[in-house]
């Protein structure tokens, strides 16, 4: 099995969804692991649970801090722990647009309603007030607008005639604990298929000026129109079990330095390695696509004719 995706969970209190994600991660074949639990309240009960379970924790109160400053510190903590995906689990503090942008596509939230119904707070009371016969919960990708990102999964919960907001919330919570681990597992698995990885690479590479896709020895590759190659997609090349992007470095020195610094991410590819190309592993769970994009641009610059390269 491929490396497990590294998940950071953000909580504000009890953390029962975090706990459900954690115990699910310990089931055989779960494709993710929890590597950090962070809370905007250092006394959050969930932090104690995580610490007792041997998970790294980070608690920092947000009162009196500027949102941007808080989010920068949080981002550093998450990256420092090698987090690839963020799961918001009862996290009641708004995140800045900048933070959300950095983690777009890799940050999910659980919300106690059948979205798009009842965004925000008091979801169960509002469902009862409206006379709904079913409530439920949703897991969605986080975008800048609150509770409005693409829904990845939902679970319905029947409403009982004598339900109160509290009794309904308690049953929805049980549903949340079933739904969240499954949807998170699906997301990290879906993102890691070679088809999904190639799709994402295409999107970035073909957005570069005069970029075109070619087939090179049967594998998809990217070239500057009429010119040189700047990227190769490599999937299980000669049965090496690796899915990667090959890009150009400035030469053997840079290549060796990078591999030494991050041997889990960079490798020296067969055939193209001696000419200074380097492999970036895409099969290690949650890929940092901004970073991959920077590499594609750098490689494109080396492949593009001067006149074109000077444009961007
Ligand atoms: C959960 O019901 C979650 O869906 C909800 O807070 C509760 C947290 O419980 N989240 C929201 O309302 C987000 N807008 P937990 O701390 O025990 O997981």
């Amino acid at each position: 099995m491929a490396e497990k995706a590294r998940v950071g969970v953000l909580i504000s209190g009890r953390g029962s969804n975090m706990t459900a994600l954690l115990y699910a991660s310990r089931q055989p074949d779960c494709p993710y692991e929890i590597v950090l639990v962070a809370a905007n309240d250092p006394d959050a009960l969930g932090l104690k649970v995580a610490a007792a379970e041997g998970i790294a924790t980070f608690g920092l109160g947000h009162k009196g801090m500027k949102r941007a400053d808080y989010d920068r510190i949080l981002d550093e903590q998450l990256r420092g722990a090698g987090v690839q995906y963020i799961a918001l689990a009862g996290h009641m503090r708004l995140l800045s647009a900048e933070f959300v942008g950095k983690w777009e596509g890799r940050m999910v939230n659980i919300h106690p309603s059948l979205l798009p119904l009842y965004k925000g707070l008091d979801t169960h009371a509002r469902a009862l007030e409206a006379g709904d016969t079913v409530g439920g919960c949703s897991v969605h990708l986080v975008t800048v607008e609150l509770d409005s990102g693409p829904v990845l999964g939902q679970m319905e919960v029947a409403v009982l005639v004598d339900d109160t907001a509290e009794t309904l919330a308690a049953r929805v919570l049980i549903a949340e604990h079933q739904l969240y681990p499954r949807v998170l597992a699906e997301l990290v698995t879906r993102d890691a298929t070679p088809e999904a990885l190639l799709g994402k690479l295409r999107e970035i590479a073909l957005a570069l000026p005069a970029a075109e896709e070619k087939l090179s020895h049967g594998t998809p590759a990217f070239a500057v129109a009429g010119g040189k190659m700047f990227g190769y997609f490599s999937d299980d090349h000669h049965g090496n079990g690796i899915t990667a992007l090959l890009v150009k470095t400035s030469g053997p020195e840079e290549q060796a330095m990078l591999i030494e610094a991050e041997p889990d991410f960079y490798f020296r590819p067969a055939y193209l390695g001696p000419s200074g190309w380097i492999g970036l592993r895409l099969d290690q769970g949650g890929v940092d696509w901004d970073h991959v994009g920077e590499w594609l641009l750098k490689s494109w610059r080396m492949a593009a004719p001067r006149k074109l390269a000077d444009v961007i």
Side-chain angles (χ1 to χ4, degrees):
M1 190 168 140
E3 294 281 317
K4 288 177 188 282
R6 298 170 65 86
V7 175
V9 187
L10 304 189
I11 61 169
S12 293
R14 180 176 58 178
S16 72
N17 274 290
M18 176 279 295
T19 310
L21 290 174
L22 174 61
Y23 294 151
S25 77
R26 292 178 173 168
Q27 302 254 50
D29 297 333
C30 183
Y32 67 82
E33 61 182 325
I34 308 291
V35 295
L36 181 72
V37 175
N40 58 322
D41 171 4
D43 296 323
L45 174 63
L47 282 184
K48 297 187 178 78
V49 174
E53 294 290 352
I55 307 296
T57 59
F58 175 71
L60 176 65
H62 64 271
K63 291 217 174 71
M65 279 185 81
K66 282 199 182 126
R67 195 178 300 282
D69 291 341
Y70 189 97
D71 285 357
R72 194 173 22 76
I73 294 170
L74 184 61
D75 191 64
E76 279 166 15
Q77 289 290 326
L78 291 159
R79 285 176 199 274
V83 164
Q84 296 161 325
Y85 287 88
I86 296 177
L88 305 182
H91 183 251
M92 296 309 200
R93 184 185 150 269
L94 287 177
L95 294 160
S96 61
E98 198 193 342
F99 184 94
V100 173
K102 279 192 209 160
W103 290 93
E104 203 186 323
R106 297 186 295 145
M107 177 155 62
V108 285
N109 178 42
I110 187 146
H111 184 75
S113 78
L114 296 172
L115 290 171
L117 290 176
Y118 316 127
K119 297 172 181 176
L121 299 174
D122 300 321
T123 54
H124 307 296
R126 286 151 71 199
L128 292 176
E129 176 81 26
D132 293 353
T133 53
V134 287
C137 49
S138 310
V139 174
H140 65 96
L141 285 170
V142 176
T143 53
V144 171
E145 207 184 322
L146 184 73
D147 299 330
S148 298
V151 171
L152 302 178
Q154 294 186 313
M155 195 174 283
E156 292 187 352
V157 171
V159 173
L160 306 185
V161 274
D162 52 358
D163 258 337
T164 63
E166 288 70 33
T167 57
L168 179 57
R171 278 201 319 291
V172 170
L173 192 63
I174 298 172
E176 292 182 37
H177 297 168
Q178 306 300 311
L179 179 72
Y180 210 175
R182 178 179 63 78
V183 175
L184 181 58
E186 277 171 7
L187 175 69
V188 307
T189 307
R190 179 189 84 185
D191 283 356
T193 62
E195 296 72 30
L197 295 168
L198 175 59
K200 188 74 194 172
L201 273 184
R202 269 195 187 118
E203 199 182 293
I204 302 172
L206 297 180
L208 291 165
E212 62 181 24
E213 187 170 336
K214 293 190 165 183
L215 269 186
S216 163
H217 300 283
T219 52
F222 304 105
V224 182
K228 297 181 190 162
M229 296 290 194
F230 66 93
Y232 294 87
F233 180 65
S234 173
D235 182 36
D236 201 19
H237 188 62
H238 290 291
N240 67 0
I242 290 175
T243 308
L245 167 69
L246 311 187
V247 285
K248 252 183 156 158
T249 65
S250 58
E253 247 174 60
E254 186 188 13
Q255 186 198 51
M257 210 181 66
L258 290 165
I259 294 169
E260 194 185 321
E262 284 182 72
D264 292 340
F265 181 61
Y266 294 109
F267 69 98
R268 192 169 188 266
Y271 305 110
L272 289 172
S275 342
W277 288 70
I278 199 162
L280 319 183
R281 293 200 55 167
L282 305 175
D283 53 2
Q284 305 286 75
V287 177
D288 183 344
W289 289 107
D290 286 345
H291 187 218
V292 171
E294 283 161 21
W295 265 114
L296 277 167
L297 175 60
K298 205 170 125 160
S299 193
W300 176 91
R301 276 186 201 283
M302 284 187 246
R306 201 36 173 303
K307 260 209 299 212
L308 198 56
D310 286 346
V311 175
I312 58 170

